[in-house]
Structures are given as structure tokens and as C-alpha cells.
Amino acid sequence: MPLDIVFMGTPDFSVPVLDALVAAGHRVVAVYSQPPRPAGRGLAELKSPVHRRAEALGIPVRTPKNFKTDEDRAAFADLKADAAVVVAYGLLLPAAVLDAPRLGCFNVHASKLPRWRGAAPIQRAIMAGDAVTAVNIMRMDEGLDTGPVCLGRDVAITPDMTAGELHDTLSALGAELIVAALAELEAGTLRAVPQPQEGVTYAAKIDKRETRIDFAKTATEVANHIRGLSPFPGAWFEANLGGKPERIKVLRASSIAKDGEPGVLLDGELTIACGEGAIRIEELQRAGKQPMKAADFLRGARLEPGTRLA
């Protein structure tokens, strides 16, 4: 028997989960998403990916800034939902909201809990060099990703996988697992296991100040940093092109066994020395340009071996 679901999500990661709920026959009675934000040069208000998808599906959308008012909490309770599904919504939910759905609130979280609770689990896992992550379906409580886990599945992080690639894999898996979890919920067989107390880490939101590449780190650390921020927001360095410094975003690179002074270009193949070893850039993006292969970049940018890259 289909459930009446409130869906709460905001970014692209959440959209496949919303689609999966609809395809499974559940009645999504309302969608909650972050309010439209000014974007672009004209600062026109842009609706979130979930907001736009819900409208295309004909589902009513609500965009409260928070749930601090009695009016917003009452409006949520009045939906009389069986359950809420929360995927990267962007707000901590108060007890009044968590307790409103008859069967509870369930979160699709992109990490192997309790590792990487918080805002940026995909990026942080790759930046830390983790070999494995997961999608966990969690019954929510008032803490930050602290609730018991109902279902989960591990995913290997390959040495060349970027955050964008892992994002898509985990999003699709999350859609599959939440449908399975709701089926067990309907059948009365869903079980939730408390998270371990050991191994807790927090995935802080990515700060723009940490996106600049530090070539004093080891090549492995630099390569992980690059792929953990690819394609967005992107790790970068500065190079002097045409007589002025230009920010170069690195989208893909590999670590190699080559030595030199950190930050110095070692050859004509965009190999840059690190504190230990070196990285070879394979794909990059200049400001205002489309992503390009390193070979195409070098045809138009004259960078001599020995050049120091800021």
C-alpha cells in the first residue's frame, strides 16, 4: 500500500530520490526545499533543482526559511504524512517536525555513518583518501546525522574517482535504498541499529579558502584534494598567462613518482612538483572557458619547465 510522503531536499543529489518515490507509487503530498536564491550576473532568484523537479511533477512546493514559527510547524503537521524522506535538505529539523509523520522521518545520507556526518560527506571522503564510503538510510533524531541506521550499502572509491562521479553513484543508490526501506516500513519489518560511538567524523561545508592547491603537501594529498573538489567548486592554482595571473581550475590529475621544488613545473606535460612526488594534470578549466584536456591547454599557453605556479 503506498504511503503519503513529505519529501525534503534541495540539490541535484536529491532529485533521483524524489523520482524514485514517485515511480514506486508513493503519494508525495508536498515537497520542502530551500528558498530560491539570487544567482547569476543579474542576481535573479533561482529555484533549487528539487523545487524545479517537483513543479514539473505537479507536486506542491513549500520553502520556509526554517521551522521556528508555530505556523510553519503546524502547516507541516497538517499534511498528516505517513513518513518524511529527507535528502540534503539543508536544515536541522526540530522535534515538532520529526515527530509529526506517523511512521517517522528518514534521511538518505551519503556516507558510512558515523564517519562523515554533516554537510559535505562526498567531498570529505575523497579528500581524506578513503577507499570506501556508503549510502545509509537513517531514522532521524534531533542530532546532526546521529540517528540509528536502517539500511546501508558500501561503495568503493577508486583512486581516480572524482566527487562528481561519486555523487552520481551515491545518488542513484540512495534512490534504490529508500524505496527498499519504505517497503520494509510498510511491512513492519524495518529495523534501526544505533550508530557506533567510535569513529565519528564531521564533514564540514567546503570553504572557498581551502580550494587553493597547496603544492607543499604530498602528491597523493594534492591529487585527493583535486578529485574531491572536482568538478565543483574546483581546486585551483595561479599561472602567469599573457602577462597577468590567471586562476586555473584542475579537474583531474594523477600522482607520479617525480621530484622537484614544490609548485614548480617539471616538464612540458603539466607535471608539477609537490612536497613529496608530483602531480600530472590531465584536465583543467580556465576562467570563463569550457573544461579542456591538458594537451589542448598547452597548445595555447606557453609554460616553460621551471615556471613557479603560485
Side-chain angles (χ1 to χ4, degrees), residues 9-10 32-38 45-49 51 61-66 89-91:
T10 298
Y32 280 75
S33 194
Q34 288 289 296
R37 310 288 190 196
E45 290 208 332
L46 180 66
K47 296 175 181 177
S48 75
H51 191 149
V61 180
R62 299 179 179 182
T63 58
K65 291 183 179 179
N66 50 53
Y89 177 40
L91 286 178

PDB file of all heavy atoms in Angstrom, residues 9-10 32-38 45-49 51 61-66 89-91:
ATOM      1  N   GLY A   9      14.239  18.139   0.290  1.00  0.00           N
ATOM      2  CA  GLY A   9      15.554  18.108  -0.342  1.00  0.00           C
ATOM      3  C   GLY A   9      15.781  19.371  -1.136  1.00  0.00           C
ATOM      4  O   GLY A   9      14.844  20.127  -1.395  1.00  0.00           O
ATOM      5  N   THR A  10      17.028  19.581  -1.561  1.00  0.00           N
ATOM      6  CA  THR A  10      17.350  20.822  -2.264  1.00  0.00           C
ATOM      7  C   THR A  10      18.209  20.619  -3.513  1.00  0.00           C
ATOM      8  O   THR A  10      17.810  21.029  -4.593  1.00  0.00           O
ATOM      9  CB  THR A  10      18.033  21.811  -1.295  1.00  0.00           C
ATOM     10  OG1 THR A  10      17.116  22.132  -0.242  1.00  0.00           O
ATOM     11  CG2 THR A  10      18.426  23.099  -2.012  1.00  0.00           C
ATOM     12  N   TYR A  32       9.356  20.017   0.360  1.00  0.00           N
ATOM     13  CA  TYR A  32      10.004  21.143   1.027  1.00  0.00           C
ATOM     14  C   TYR A  32      11.402  21.306   0.453  1.00  0.00           C
ATOM     15  O   TYR A  32      12.136  20.325   0.287  1.00  0.00           O
ATOM     16  CB  TYR A  32      10.100  20.904   2.530  1.00  0.00           C
ATOM     17  CG  TYR A  32       8.827  21.200   3.291  1.00  0.00           C
ATOM     18  CD1 TYR A  32       7.743  20.327   3.227  1.00  0.00           C
ATOM     19  CD2 TYR A  32       8.709  22.351   4.073  1.00  0.00           C
ATOM     20  CE1 TYR A  32       6.572  20.590   3.927  1.00  0.00           C
ATOM     21  CE2 TYR A  32       7.553  22.624   4.773  1.00  0.00           C
ATOM     22  CZ  TYR A  32       6.485  21.738   4.697  1.00  0.00           C
ATOM     23  OH  TYR A  32       5.323  22.017   5.380  1.00  0.00           O
ATOM     24  N   SER A  33      11.779  22.548   0.152  1.00  0.00           N
ATOM     25  CA  SER A  33      13.107  22.818  -0.395  1.00  0.00           C
ATOM     26  C   SER A  33      13.577  24.184   0.100  1.00  0.00           C
ATOM     27  O   SER A  33      12.774  24.993   0.592  1.00  0.00           O
ATOM     28  CB  SER A  33      13.064  22.799  -1.935  1.00  0.00           C
ATOM     29  OG  SER A  33      14.362  22.741  -2.478  1.00  0.00           O
ATOM     30  N   GLN A  34      14.881  24.427   0.001  1.00  0.00           N
ATOM     31  CA  GLN A  34      15.403  25.731   0.394  1.00  0.00           C
ATOM     32  C   GLN A  34      14.816  26.824  -0.508  1.00  0.00           C
ATOM     33  O   GLN A  34      14.549  26.592  -1.684  1.00  0.00           O
ATOM     34  CB  GLN A  34      16.921  25.740   0.299  1.00  0.00           C
ATOM     35  CG  GLN A  34      17.605  24.932   1.387  1.00  0.00           C
ATOM     36  CD  GLN A  34      17.487  25.595   2.741  1.00  0.00           C
ATOM     37  OE1 GLN A  34      17.994  26.683   2.967  1.00  0.00           O
ATOM     38  NE2 GLN A  34      16.785  24.937   3.667  1.00  0.00           N
ATOM     39  N   PRO A  35      14.611  28.024   0.033  1.00  0.00           N
ATOM     40  CA  PRO A  35      14.027  29.110  -0.770  1.00  0.00           C
ATOM     41  C   PRO A  35      14.899  29.457  -1.972  1.00  0.00           C
ATOM     42  O   PRO A  35      16.117  29.220  -1.962  1.00  0.00           O
ATOM     43  CB  PRO A  35      13.985  30.286   0.220  1.00  0.00           C
ATOM     44  CG  PRO A  35      14.036  29.665   1.576  1.00  0.00           C
ATOM     45  CD  PRO A  35      14.872  28.422   1.426  1.00  0.00           C
ATOM     46  N   PRO A  36      14.300  29.995  -3.039  1.00  0.00           N
ATOM     47  CA  PRO A  36      15.082  30.448  -4.185  1.00  0.00           C
ATOM     48  C   PRO A  36      16.167  31.442  -3.763  1.00  0.00           C
ATOM     49  O   PRO A  36      15.957  32.253  -2.849  1.00  0.00           O
ATOM     50  CB  PRO A  36      14.032  31.122  -5.078  1.00  0.00           C
ATOM     51  CG  PRO A  36      12.748  30.438  -4.718  1.00  0.00           C
ATOM     52  CD  PRO A  36      12.855  30.169  -3.247  1.00  0.00           C
ATOM     53  N   ARG A  37      17.328  31.353  -4.416  1.00  0.00           N
ATOM     54  CA  ARG A  37      18.474  32.204  -4.080  1.00  0.00           C
ATOM     55  C   ARG A  37      18.867  33.062  -5.283  1.00  0.00           C
ATOM     56  O   ARG A  37      18.778  32.608  -6.432  1.00  0.00           O
ATOM     57  CB  ARG A  37      19.685  31.355  -3.696  1.00  0.00           C
ATOM     58  CG  ARG A  37      19.416  30.272  -2.650  1.00  0.00           C
ATOM     59  CD  ARG A  37      19.193  30.851  -1.292  1.00  0.00           C
ATOM     60  NE  ARG A  37      19.170  29.792  -0.269  1.00  0.00           N
ATOM     61  CZ  ARG A  37      18.698  29.962   0.962  1.00  0.00           C
ATOM     62  NH1 ARG A  37      18.188  31.130   1.319  1.00  0.00           N
ATOM     63  NH2 ARG A  37      18.707  28.962   1.836  1.00  0.00           N
ATOM     64  N   PRO A  38      19.355  34.276  -5.041  1.00  0.00           N
ATOM     65  CA  PRO A  38      19.875  35.084  -6.155  1.00  0.00           C
ATOM     66  C   PRO A  38      21.059  34.383  -6.800  1.00  0.00           C
ATOM     67  O   PRO A  38      21.935  33.855  -6.120  1.00  0.00           O
ATOM     68  CB  PRO A  38      20.304  36.393  -5.473  1.00  0.00           C
ATOM     69  CG  PRO A  38      19.552  36.424  -4.183  1.00  0.00           C
ATOM     70  CD  PRO A  38      19.397  34.998  -3.763  1.00  0.00           C
ATOM     71  N   GLU A  45      16.359  35.346  -8.897  1.00  0.00           N
ATOM     72  CA  GLU A  45      16.150  34.274  -7.938  1.00  0.00           C
ATOM     73  C   GLU A  45      16.012  32.936  -8.663  1.00  0.00           C
ATOM     74  O   GLU A  45      15.204  32.794  -9.590  1.00  0.00           O
ATOM     75  CB  GLU A  45      14.919  34.554  -7.075  1.00  0.00           C
ATOM     76  CG  GLU A  45      15.144  35.717  -6.117  1.00  0.00           C
ATOM     77  CD  GLU A  45      14.304  35.589  -4.862  1.00  0.00           C
ATOM     78  OE1 GLU A  45      13.230  34.967  -4.938  1.00  0.00           O
ATOM     79  OE2 GLU A  45      14.738  36.100  -3.819  1.00  0.00           O
ATOM     80  N   LEU A  46      16.808  31.965  -8.235  1.00  0.00           N
ATOM     81  CA  LEU A  46      16.852  30.658  -8.883  1.00  0.00           C
ATOM     82  C   LEU A  46      16.272  29.603  -7.935  1.00  0.00           C
ATOM     83  O   LEU A  46      16.713  29.466  -6.792  1.00  0.00           O
ATOM     84  CB  LEU A  46      18.295  30.293  -9.239  1.00  0.00           C
ATOM     85  CG  LEU A  46      18.514  28.947  -9.930  1.00  0.00           C
ATOM     86  CD1 LEU A  46      17.870  28.948 -11.318  1.00  0.00           C
ATOM     87  CD2 LEU A  46      20.008  28.634 -10.029  1.00  0.00           C
ATOM     88  N   LYS A  47      15.307  28.865  -8.422  1.00  0.00           N
ATOM     89  CA  LYS A  47      14.733  27.769  -7.637  1.00  0.00           C
ATOM     90  C   LYS A  47      15.714  26.596  -7.591  1.00  0.00           C
ATOM     91  O   LYS A  47      16.477  26.374  -8.536  1.00  0.00           O
ATOM     92  CB  LYS A  47      13.414  27.319  -8.249  1.00  0.00           C
ATOM     93  CG  LYS A  47      12.328  28.390  -8.231  1.00  0.00           C
ATOM     94  CD  LYS A  47      11.077  27.925  -8.965  1.00  0.00           C
ATOM     95  CE  LYS A  47      10.001  29.001  -8.958  1.00  0.00           C
ATOM     96  NZ  LYS A  47       8.793  28.591  -9.722  1.00  0.00           N
ATOM     97  N   SER A  48      15.670  25.845  -6.507  1.00  0.00           N
ATOM     98  CA  SER A  48      16.573  24.704  -6.358  1.00  0.00           C
ATOM     99  C   SER A  48      16.217  23.609  -7.366  1.00  0.00           C
ATOM    100  O   SER A  48      15.097  23.566  -7.897  1.00  0.00           O
ATOM    101  CB  SER A  48      16.469  24.141  -4.947  1.00  0.00           C
ATOM    102  OG  SER A  48      15.259  23.401  -4.792  1.00  0.00           O
ATOM    103  N   PRO A  49      17.152  22.694  -7.648  1.00  0.00           N
ATOM    104  CA  PRO A  49      16.840  21.563  -8.537  1.00  0.00           C
ATOM    105  C   PRO A  49      15.628  20.752  -8.077  1.00  0.00           C
ATOM    106  O   PRO A  49      14.808  20.333  -8.906  1.00  0.00           O
ATOM    107  CB  PRO A  49      18.127  20.733  -8.506  1.00  0.00           C
ATOM    108  CG  PRO A  49      19.201  21.739  -8.255  1.00  0.00           C
ATOM    109  CD  PRO A  49      18.588  22.725  -7.305  1.00  0.00           C
ATOM    110  N   HIS A  51      13.114  21.876  -6.243  1.00  0.00           N
ATOM    111  CA  HIS A  51      11.944  22.742  -6.448  1.00  0.00           C
ATOM    112  C   HIS A  51      11.463  22.646  -7.896  1.00  0.00           C
ATOM    113  O   HIS A  51      10.268  22.433  -8.161  1.00  0.00           O
ATOM    114  CB  HIS A  51      12.332  24.178  -6.093  1.00  0.00           C
ATOM    115  CG  HIS A  51      11.182  25.135  -6.014  1.00  0.00           C
ATOM    116  ND1 HIS A  51      11.178  26.226  -5.171  1.00  0.00           N
ATOM    117  CD2 HIS A  51      10.008  25.199  -6.680  1.00  0.00           C
ATOM    118  CE1 HIS A  51      10.048  26.889  -5.315  1.00  0.00           C
ATOM    119  NE2 HIS A  51       9.324  26.290  -6.238  1.00  0.00           N
ATOM    120  N   VAL A  61       5.081  22.812  -3.638  1.00  0.00           N
ATOM    121  CA  VAL A  61       6.385  23.066  -3.038  1.00  0.00           C
ATOM    122  C   VAL A  61       6.263  24.127  -1.951  1.00  0.00           C
ATOM    123  O   VAL A  61       5.595  25.150  -2.145  1.00  0.00           O
ATOM    124  CB  VAL A  61       7.408  23.527  -4.094  1.00  0.00           C
ATOM    125  CG1 VAL A  61       8.769  23.780  -3.448  1.00  0.00           C
ATOM    126  CG2 VAL A  61       7.538  22.487  -5.205  1.00  0.00           C
ATOM    127  N   ARG A  62       6.916  23.888  -0.835  1.00  0.00           N
ATOM    128  CA  ARG A  62       6.972  24.857   0.253  1.00  0.00           C
ATOM    129  C   ARG A  62       8.430  25.194   0.534  1.00  0.00           C
ATOM    130  O   ARG A  62       9.288  24.299   0.519  1.00  0.00           O
ATOM    131  CB  ARG A  62       6.317  24.297   1.516  1.00  0.00           C
ATOM    132  CG  ARG A  62       4.838  23.949   1.331  1.00  0.00           C
ATOM    133  CD  ARG A  62       4.238  23.367   2.599  1.00  0.00           C
ATOM    134  NE  ARG A  62       2.819  23.056   2.438  1.00  0.00           N
ATOM    135  CZ  ARG A  62       2.047  22.579   3.405  1.00  0.00           C
ATOM    136  NH1 ARG A  62       2.565  22.350   4.609  1.00  0.00           N
ATOM    137  NH2 ARG A  62       0.769  22.330   3.170  1.00  0.00           N
ATOM    138  N   THR A  63       8.713  26.469   0.826  1.00  0.00           N
ATOM    139  CA  THR A  63      10.108  26.904   1.004  1.00  0.00           C
ATOM    140  C   THR A  63      10.285  27.766   2.253  1.00  0.00           C
ATOM    141  O   THR A  63      10.752  28.909   2.168  1.00  0.00           O
ATOM    142  CB  THR A  63      10.594  27.675  -0.236  1.00  0.00           C
ATOM    143  OG1 THR A  63       9.731  28.811  -0.447  1.00  0.00           O
ATOM    144  CG2 THR A  63      10.605  26.807  -1.475  1.00  0.00           C
ATOM    145  N   PRO A  64       9.940  27.267   3.430  1.00  0.00           N
ATOM    146  CA  PRO A  64      10.170  28.062   4.636  1.00  0.00           C
ATOM    147  C   PRO A  64      11.661  28.246   4.897  1.00  0.00           C
ATOM    148  O   PRO A  64      12.470  27.377   4.581  1.00  0.00           O
ATOM    149  CB  PRO A  64       9.514  27.230   5.738  1.00  0.00           C
ATOM    150  CG  PRO A  64       9.588  25.829   5.231  1.00  0.00           C
ATOM    151  CD  PRO A  64       9.404  25.924   3.740  1.00  0.00           C
ATOM    152  N   LYS A  65      12.030  29.382   5.489  1.00  0.00           N
ATOM    153  CA  LYS A  65      13.432  29.609   5.825  1.00  0.00           C
ATOM    154  C   LYS A  65      13.878  28.680   6.951  1.00  0.00           C
ATOM    155  O   LYS A  65      15.041  28.294   7.031  1.00  0.00           O
ATOM    156  CB  LYS A  65      13.648  31.066   6.224  1.00  0.00           C
ATOM    157  CG  LYS A  65      13.508  32.041   5.061  1.00  0.00           C
ATOM    158  CD  LYS A  65      13.812  33.464   5.505  1.00  0.00           C
ATOM    159  CE  LYS A  65      13.707  34.430   4.338  1.00  0.00           C
ATOM    160  NZ  LYS A  65      13.979  35.841   4.744  1.00  0.00           N
ATOM    161  N   ASN A  66      12.954  28.365   7.835  1.00  0.00           N
ATOM    162  CA  ASN A  66      13.229  27.442   8.933  1.00  0.00           C
ATOM    163  C   ASN A  66      11.875  26.998   9.497  1.00  0.00           C
ATOM    164  O   ASN A  66      10.839  27.283   8.916  1.00  0.00           O
ATOM    165  CB  ASN A  66      14.098  28.108  10.020  1.00  0.00           C
ATOM    166  CG  ASN A  66      13.528  29.458  10.437  1.00  0.00           C
ATOM    167  OD1 ASN A  66      12.355  29.559  10.806  1.00  0.00           O
ATOM    168  ND2 ASN A  66      14.347  30.499  10.380  1.00  0.00           N
ATOM    169  N   TYR A  89      18.539  18.355   2.600  1.00  0.00           N
ATOM    170  CA  TYR A  89      17.591  19.469   2.666  1.00  0.00           C
ATOM    171  C   TYR A  89      18.287  20.768   3.041  1.00  0.00           C
ATOM    172  O   TYR A  89      18.013  21.820   2.481  1.00  0.00           O
ATOM    173  CB  TYR A  89      16.477  19.114   3.657  1.00  0.00           C
ATOM    174  CG  TYR A  89      15.453  20.195   3.882  1.00  0.00           C
ATOM    175  CD1 TYR A  89      14.976  20.988   2.845  1.00  0.00           C
ATOM    176  CD2 TYR A  89      14.932  20.421   5.154  1.00  0.00           C
ATOM    177  CE1 TYR A  89      14.022  21.969   3.067  1.00  0.00           C
ATOM    178  CE2 TYR A  89      13.971  21.391   5.384  1.00  0.00           C
ATOM    179  CZ  TYR A  89      13.524  22.160   4.336  1.00  0.00           C
ATOM    180  OH  TYR A  89      12.580  23.132   4.568  1.00  0.00           O
ATOM    181  N   GLY A  90      19.185  20.714   4.021  1.00  0.00           N
ATOM    182  CA  GLY A  90      19.917  21.916   4.384  1.00  0.00           C
ATOM    183  C   GLY A  90      19.487  22.555   5.682  1.00  0.00           C
ATOM    184  O   GLY A  90      19.981  23.622   6.032  1.00  0.00           O
ATOM    185  N   LEU A  91      18.577  21.915   6.423  1.00  0.00           N
ATOM    186  CA  LEU A  91      18.138  22.421   7.718  1.00  0.00           C
ATOM    187  C   LEU A  91      18.091  21.281   8.728  1.00  0.00           C
ATOM    188  O   LEU A  91      17.721  20.154   8.388  1.00  0.00           O
ATOM    189  CB  LEU A  91      16.741  23.033   7.630  1.00  0.00           C
ATOM    190  CG  LEU A  91      16.552  24.391   6.954  1.00  0.00           C
ATOM    191  CD1 LEU A  91      15.074  24.750   6.952  1.00  0.00           C
ATOM    192  CD2 LEU A  91      17.348  25.474   7.658  1.00  0.00           C
TER     193      LEU A  91
END
